[in-house]
Amino acid sequence: KSVSSYIPFEHEDFEYKKNIINIAREQDSSLQGVLTSTLIFINAVDYISAHLLDNLATIAHLITHKELNAVVFVLSREDRKGQPLGDMIKLLKNYEFPDKSEFISELEEFNSLRIKYVHKLLSSPSSEIIENIDNELSQIKKLAESLLDRYDTIARGISDTWFAYLRNVLLYGMVSQE
């Protein structure tokens, strides 16, 4: 990708992804509905985390490569598919971006609950799971909705900044007029 052709935060099959998230939102309060919703929200948060990380890495690569004439630049990104959410959180902490502290904080809380219900559902004591399941699955949904909203805001802000940068490069041949 080149600086001029890159469009940040593009999604493949965006309508499909939106529809799947809407299915999660429309689930009833039965255990089956709540578990279905939880599974979809877990996938959605994994997706937006990887997507944010991929876009931050791509922007850093493109800018450093162009502005420093490829003398010094951030190497191209690695594929994030299948990477554990905990690892993506560690990598996201290496970047600065709008609303970072709140996004990371909610992501860490989400990941803790996710681990409990994805990896430890059958290995945890049943009394611990049953006692807290309504509350914690409800919290997963609440955190996922908040993270989706934060992601949208972050993506919009970074995209606006990217296009302002491009306008300066195209109009003035440089990053700023200073």
Side-chain angles (χ1 to χ4, degrees):
K1 295 178 182 177
S2 70
V3 168
S4 60
S5 68
Y6 175 65
I7 300 173
F9 298 98
E10 277 189 312
H11 300 273
E12 289 181 26
D13 298 324
F14 182 68
E15 288 303 314
Y16 168 77
K17 289 172 174 85
K18 249 178 33 179
N19 289 334
I20 293 294
I21 291 169
N22 284 334
I23 289 170
R25 290 175 174 144
E26 294 167 358
Q27 293 300 307
D28 61 28
S29 59
S30 69
L31 182 58
Q32 182 179 357
V34 171
L35 289 174
T36 299
S37 176
T38 299
L39 176 65
I40 293 169
F41 279 124
I42 286 170
N43 275 274
V45 170
D46 281 349
Y47 171 77
I48 63 167
S49 299
H51 201 250
L52 176 59
L53 188 56
D54 285 343
N55 277 272
L56 293 172
T58 299
I59 289 168
H61 169 77
L62 290 172
I63 295 296
T64 58
H65 192 272
K66 178 187 181 338
E67 295 300 329
L68 300 174
N69 296 318
V71 174
V72 176
F73 61 95
V74 176
L75 293 175
S76 61
R77 60 183 175 81
E78 57 189 67
D79 189 9
R80 308 281 181 230
K81 289 180 183 157
Q83 191 167 31
L85 184 56
D87 290 350
M88 286 191 282
I89 293 169
K90 287 178 191 170
L91 292 170
L92 282 168
K93 288 179 179 180
N94 292 320
Y95 292 92
E96 285 301 324
F97 53 91
D99 207 16
K100 174 186 173 179
S101 61
E102 291 83 3
F103 186 83
I104 295 292
S105 176
E106 286 185 357
L107 202 52
E108 289 173 330
E109 184 179 350
F110 181 89
N111 194 39
S112 298
L113 290 169
R114 176 190 144 293
I115 288 168
K116 183 174 183 179
Y117 287 98
V118 171
H119 298 293
K120 298 179 180 178
L121 182 63
L122 298 179
S123 62
S124 297
S126 60
S127 60
E128 180 185 318
I129 296 295
I130 292 169
E131 185 178 307
N132 298 318
I133 195 166
D134 287 342
N135 235 2
E136 290 178 339
L137 292 181
S138 174
Q139 184 64 9
I140 285 175
K141 180 180 180 182
K142 181 180 169 190
L143 284 167
E145 289 285 10
S146 178
L147 286 162
L148 288 166
D149 287 344
R150 285 186 191 283
Y151 166 84
D152 286 343
T153 302
I154 291 165
R156 251 189 324 275
I158 293 172
S159 292
D160 289 349
T161 302
W162 179 258
F163 291 119
Y165 165 79
L166 281 183
R167 277 190 302 280
N168 280 337
V169 168
L170 294 173
L171 290 173
Y172 306 108
M174 58 187 159
V175 177
S176 67
Q177 297 174 340
E178 295 175 16

